[in-house]
């Protein structure tokens, strides 16, 4: 899906002062942002993360998922390195939207896992698309990345887009008793990569 660049501004945070870049999908008007730190267009591989919006985890501190801790850890790593990029993609609930995500949570409260709940609501297990990343990365001048992710689909999506993924860096954070089944489902049904120690 093509996106157009809209504007940039500085974004001071507790870890570093990032540059915030706004983008909009040309077909449906959906808005996405990228945060960058340092010179990411110099040709060297960029420490990067593609992070899908999770209001409950990123902003409301939910322990049902590991999204908020992953977002925070990624920004901390970029700040510590002094250079990097985070693409924040507006595709809540693996692409089903916030209200449907709450419906899925209700089903999970009844014993369904995260995949079963999405399917019961009539959706695929994961509706997310990473097509917008190609245009966003191209605008930022990023051609190769060291990608922070546990999800091999993100690696595959970037490779298909012509972006070189020189390294996959795991993000094993935010695991707790409330999301133990969620993490196990991501590993067993969605193919996310976790080592044994991280999952326990």
């Amino acid at each position: 899906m093509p996106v157009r660049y809209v504007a940039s501004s500085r974004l001071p945070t507790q870890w570093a002062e990032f540059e915030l870049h706004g983008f909009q999908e040309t077909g449906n008007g959906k808005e996405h942002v990228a945060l960058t730190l340092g010179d990411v267009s110099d040709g060297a591989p960029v420490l990067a993360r593609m992070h899908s919006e999770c209001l409950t985890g990123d902003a409301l501190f939910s322990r049902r998922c590991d999204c908020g801790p992953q977002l925070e850890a990624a920004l901390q790593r970029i700040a510590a390195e002094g250079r990097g990029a985070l693409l924040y993609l507006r595709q809540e609930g693996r692409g089903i939207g916030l209200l449907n995500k709450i419906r899925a949570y209700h089903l999970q409260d009844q014993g369904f896992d995260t995949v079963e709940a999405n399917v019961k609501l009539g959706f695929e297990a994961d509706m997310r698309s990473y097509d917008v990343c190609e245009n966003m990365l191209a605008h930022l001048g990023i051609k190769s990345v060291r990608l922070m992710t546990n999800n091999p689909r993100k690696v595959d999506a970037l490779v298909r887009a012509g972006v070189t993924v020189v390294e996959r860096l795991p993000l094993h954070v935010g695991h707790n008793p409330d999301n133990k089944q969620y993490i196990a489902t991501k590993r067993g049904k969605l193919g996310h990569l976790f080592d044994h120690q991280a999952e326990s």
Side-chain angles (χ1 to χ4, degrees), residues 104-158:
Y105 276 175
H106 177 70
L107 291 172
Q108 290 171 44
D109 290 342
Q110 299 174 31
F112 294 90
D113 68 33
T114 181
V115 169
E116 293 166 346
N118 279 22
V119 172
K120 188 170 178 62
L121 290 173
F123 300 106
E124 297 176 18
D126 193 340
M127 303 278 291
R128 290 176 296 180
S129 170
Y130 303 103
D131 294 346
V132 297
C133 296
E134 180 176 2
N135 290 151
M136 293 172 71
L137 291 172
H139 175 83
L140 298 171
I142 297 174
K143 298 180 179 178
S144 65
V145 298
R146 297 159 49 226
L147 190 64
M148 293 180 280
T149 186
N150 304 321
N151 186 351
R153 286 189 61 222
K154 293 182 179 180
V155 176
D156 294 341
L158 288 187

Side-chain angles (χ1 to χ4, degrees), residues 79-106:
E81 194 158 303
R83 178 176 177 271
L86 185 139
L87 275 56
Y88 195 87
L89 309 174
R90 307 295 299 280
Q91 43 188 2
E92 180 79 47
R94 289 200 207 99
I96 68 174
L98 178 60
L99 297 184
N100 282 322
K101 177 181 177 179
I102 296 172
R103 292 186 179 103
Y105 276 175
H106 177 70

Side-chain angles (χ1 to χ4, degrees), residues 5 7 12 41-42 58 65 69 80 83 86 94 103 132 147-148 169 175 184 196 199:
Y5 165 75
S41 62
D42 60 3
D58 298 342
C65 64
R83 178 176 177 271
L86 185 139
R94 289 200 207 99
R103 292 186 179 103
V132 297
L147 190 64
M148 293 180 280
L169 302 171
H175 297 198
H196 176 72
E199 195 180 6

Side-chain angles (χ1 to χ4, degrees), residues 29-77:
K30 188 177 291 186
E31 300 165 343
H32 308 278
V33 298
L35 281 72
T36 60
L37 183 65
D39 184 2
V40 296
S41 62
D42 60 3
V46 175
L47 180 64
R49 173 159 175 80
M50 298 148 58
H51 188 91
S52 295
E53 177 183 37
C54 176
L55 177 71
T56 50
D58 298 342
L60 301 179
F61 315 108
S62 170
R63 288 165 55 91
R64 299 185 73 135
C65 64
D66 54 350
C67 303
Q70 285 186 328
L71 175 63
E72 186 170 331
L75 291 174
Q76 286 176 330
R77 287 189 193 180

Side-chain angles (χ1 to χ4, degrees), residues 10-20 35-37 71-72 75-76 78-79:
R10 68 184 191 90
L11 185 73
T13 74
Q14 60 184 305
W15 305 292
E17 182 171 303
F18 294 89
E19 188 167 4
L20 179 67
L35 281 72
T36 60
L37 183 65
L71 175 63
E72 186 170 331
L75 291 174
Q76 286 176 330
I78 291 170

